Amino acid sequence: HIAKLKDPLNDIDAIKKVFLQEKYKVLEFKDLKKRDFDSMLVSIERTIPKNKKVKIFIHYSGHGLQYGNENYFVPIDCGFIENVSQLKRFCYSVNLFLSTFDAIIENNKELHGLISIDACRKNPFQYEDKNEGLYTTAGSNNLVYNHFDVIYSASSGKTSEDGRGKISPYVRGLVSGIENCKNVPEIVREIKSK
């Protein structure tokens, strides 16, 4: 029901290449169905060693949309959405995704890192909420925000650009930032400059 995005698979390959060069362990998940999100989170949890200092980077690239103050990833097996009930049934809540890390963090207080969400796309469905982009205000009662910086490919309510190259402008800046910058504010500045 939704046009296939041209950049995400190339974006993932570009990011993976950078982290493999830096000798990070990489877990890669492509073309996720809704049930795959839970399996992916289980794989991530099993991979993270307990009680050790660990830096983790998570990147999502694909369709995403907003309803009210909540964001949703759109799996590849998503049906056509005509109302909010279907939205919650067919899509995967970003809040649920992030809150899963609360339990992981409880088992590893030394865990910290960066979560990158490149899913600020125009809402392709016809249900009543016409907000575009994603809601980018951090939830203060979510433990994940104490351990992770969360960055989005566009400001709240805005959509991101696919660009003209093989990878998106956001990921071009992200990759450059990871290669050349020392902290998250520098990475964000690099993304904006690209």
Side-chain angles (χ1 to χ4, degrees):
H1 299 290
I2 312 175
K4 187 171 183 178
L5 297 169
K6 66 182 180 67
D7 289 339
L9 297 181
N10 294 331
D11 288 350
I12 293 297
D13 287 339
I15 292 168
K16 179 174 77 170
K17 182 178 177 183
V18 170
F19 280 98
L20 287 175
Q21 287 171 346
E22 295 294 324
K23 309 296 186 210
Y24 275 78
K25 180 169 185 171
V26 175
L27 300 179
E28 179 181 27
F29 305 89
K30 291 183 176 178
D31 292 331
L32 297 177
K33 296 180 178 177
K34 187 174 183 188
R35 69 172 184 269
D36 296 332
F37 280 88
D38 289 327
S39 301
M40 174 186 64
L41 288 165
V42 168
S43 297
I44 292 170
E45 189 171 10
R46 286 178 178 163
T47 303
I48 297 171
K50 304 269 192 302
N51 303 316
K52 289 186 179 178
K53 282 194 173 182
V54 178
K55 277 196 292 189
I56 182 169
F57 172 82
I58 296 167
H59 178 80
Y60 174 85
S61 185
H63 279 296
L65 50 88
Q66 171 191 345
Y67 179 76
N69 292 338
E70 185 155 6
N71 300 321
Y72 294 88
F73 296 135
V74 182
I76 64 165
D77 60 344
C78 180
F80 188 77
I81 295 173
E82 295 176 309
N83 56 56
V84 178
S85 174
Q86 290 175 345
L87 170 69
K88 293 181 178 180
R89 194 163 72 245
F90 295 145
C91 295
Y92 198 91
S93 164
V94 175
N95 285 349
L96 178 62
F97 177 83
L98 293 177
S99 67
T100 302
F101 285 91
D102 285 355
I104 296 173
I105 291 164
E106 286 291 348
N107 291 325
N108 190 347
K109 301 292 188 186
E110 300 294 330
L111 182 67
H112 66 281
L114 178 62
I115 297 173
S116 164
I117 299 177
D118 185 9
C120 302
R121 309 295 186 182
K122 186 170 180 173
N123 181 356
F125 300 113
Q126 300 302 312
Y127 64 92
E128 62 265 30
D129 190 335
K130 292 298 182 184
N131 286 327
E132 293 187 352
L134 294 180
Y135 183 70
T136 59
T137 302
S140 57
N141 58 356
N142 195 324
L143 187 61
V144 75
Y145 292 105
N146 295 327
H147 290 257
F148 285 86
D149 289 290
V150 181
I151 58 174
Y152 294 81
S153 59
S155 301
S156 185
K158 304 292 184 184
T159 57
S160 61
E161 299 295 325
D162 275 333
R164 295 182 180 159
K166 286 188 174 180
I167 63 174
S168 71
Y170 170 77
V171 168
R172 190 174 300 113
L174 180 65
V175 166
S176 176
I178 291 166
E179 289 176 326
N180 302 312
C181 301
K182 294 187 171 75
N183 55 48
V184 172
E186 285 184 11
I187 291 173
V188 171
R189 280 195 292 273
E190 186 75 6
I191 291 167
K192 288 178 177 177
S193 75
K194 299 292 182 189

